[in-house]
Amino acid sequence: MTGGRLRIEARHLTKRFGDVTAVDDLGFTVEPGRITGFLGPNGAGKTTTMRMVIGHIAPTSGSVTIGGKSYREFADPSATVGAVFDAASFHPGHSARNHLRVYAAMGGHPDQRVDELLSLMDLTGAAHRRTHGFSTGMRQRLNLATALLGDPRVLLLDEPSNGLDPAGTAWLRSFLRYLAGEGRTVLVSSHVLGEVQQIADDVVVIRQGRLVAAAPLAELSGAAPAILVRSPDAEALAQVLVRRPSAGPIPRVERIGPEQLRVWGPDQAGLADLAAAHGIRVHGLTTEEPDLERLFLDLTGSTR
């Protein structure tokens, strides 16, 4: 990889298709040397946003820049940004090697880069096979190889783990971490929340085209630990929690069973003392660190 590190910045980014607003006043940054997970329900506007980054779709208003420049301002864009949007975008009669040679010629990249990437993606043994016989995992690797032909400093990957088996998913996770470790800017959209939780440094969450959260994953996950409470007096405890006078914010309480609550706000000791002061029986307290799935559901208003 050559050149410096590049940040993606979206400012007031908006895209309307007729009466439909797909992206609405969206603003976020994607930092170099980190993996950013781009999350949202189906139809939230993730792919539209990513296509605006590389100029495939023109914004209605606002802007998105890469290192302070629009994609179209780069003299050699494929050496700056590599994008993966469709794991099936291969001519079925082309071999893997010929597919890469065509794209290398289009981008002005040397033929030797083709063999380097076939080796890097562990596709050398399949270099002369026609792509119509490739598995989903092999297609994903070939797509990544295509995106990396220009040794770009920025990578946009739309649902890259779709259809991968566990071994393929583990490989992808390791490979993306390697790329970010080289200082590249990596933006990954996905609906596989467990995978994003294992790999992302930062997350950007959108709903109906609007931003609902953008933060380091550790900060977002650590912001709201919950306490699972088991009590035969769960209803009475819930009433005490939401009505008690306090200097801080009122705790948030979720009823998850006839004798179970999930409580955000107090720590275990404070909750136990409060229950004891009101003569409320508590049979169990467990701190629950929130996972990305629950955070996603809370932020987007989705249901299980």
Side-chain angles (χ1 to χ4, degrees):
M1 182 183 67
T2 59
R5 298 185 173 201
L6 300 176
R7 173 190 292 133
I8 298 172
E9 294 183 89
R11 297 177 180 173
H12 303 292
L13 192 61
T14 299
K15 180 61 185 179
R16 299 187 184 91
F17 297 98
D19 294 333
V20 177
T21 301
V23 177
D24 190 2
D25 197 32
L26 190 58
F28 62 88
T29 63
V30 181
E31 297 292 341
R34 298 173 69 83
I35 298 173
T36 298
F38 194 27
L39 304 176
N42 288 337
K46 300 187 300 296
T47 300
T48 298
T49 299
M50 294 176 83
R51 288 190 179 276
M52 283 193 282
V53 174
I54 59 170
H56 285 186
I57 296 176
T60 302
S61 61
S63 66
V64 57
T65 57
I66 304 162
K69 300 165 64 175
S70 72
Y71 179 80
R72 296 183 183 276
E73 290 181 82
F74 288 99
D76 190 3
S78 65
T80 304
V81 183
V84 172
F85 287 105
D86 184 358
S89 59
F90 309 114
H91 189 292
H94 283 179
S95 67
R97 191 169 191 279
N98 283 341
H99 166 82
L100 290 175
R101 289 187 68 198
V102 168
Y103 277 83
M106 290 170 57
H109 310 305
D111 248 14
Q112 69 184 46
R113 183 66 176 156
V114 170
D115 293 322
E116 290 173 3
L117 286 166
L118 286 170
S119 176
L120 183 63
M121 299 294 166
D122 196 23
L123 288 172
T124 301
H128 299 290
R129 286 177 52 187
R130 294 184 178 182
T131 61
H132 73 81
F134 277 19
S135 67
T136 301
M138 293 171 71
R139 287 172 177 268
Q140 292 286 29
R141 292 185 188 216
L142 184 55
N143 229 345
L144 272 172
T146 307
L148 288 168
L149 280 166
D151 200 20
R153 291 170 283 168
V154 177
L155 281 168
L156 307 180
L157 309 178
D158 192 18
E159 302 283 0
S161 62
N162 268 358
L164 294 184
D165 61 17
T169 300
W171 171 85
L172 179 66
R173 186 164 57 238
S174 175
F175 186 65
L176 294 183
R177 178 52 56 198
Y178 161 76
L179 293 174
E182 291 190 321
R184 301 179 203 257
T185 306
V186 182
L187 179 63
V188 181
S189 82
S190 181
H191 68 280
V192 185
L193 303 180
E195 275 306 307
V196 173
Q197 188 165 19
Q198 292 185 61
I199 194 172
D201 300 300
D202 306 310
V203 291
V204 173
V205 185
I206 64 174
R207 177 183 61 198
Q208 297 178 343
R210 296 188 65 88
L211 182 72
V212 293
L217 179 59
E219 177 184 310
L220 192 62
S221 298
I227 299 173
L228 298 180
V229 183
R230 185 164 52 87
S231 168
D233 304 323
E235 181 61 31
L237 179 58
Q239 294 300 318
V240 168
L241 283 166
V242 300
R243 292 178 181 172
R244 71 183 182 95
S246 68
I250 295 174
R252 184 159 67 95
V253 179
E254 177 185 354
R255 293 167 177 81
I256 57 176
E259 295 189 355
Q260 288 185 302
L261 302 174
R262 180 178 283 111
V263 180
W264 290 266
D267 59 18
Q268 283 196 35
L271 198 154
D273 289 346
L274 180 68
H278 287 79
I280 295 173
R281 296 169 293 173
V282 172
H283 292 173
L285 294 173
T286 305
T287 298
E288 178 189 58
E289 295 298 332
D291 61 23
L292 187 58
E293 180 179 20
R294 175 161 294 280
L295 286 166
F296 176 82
L297 296 172
D298 287 346
L299 289 167
T300 63
S302 303
T303 57
R304 292 184 184 272

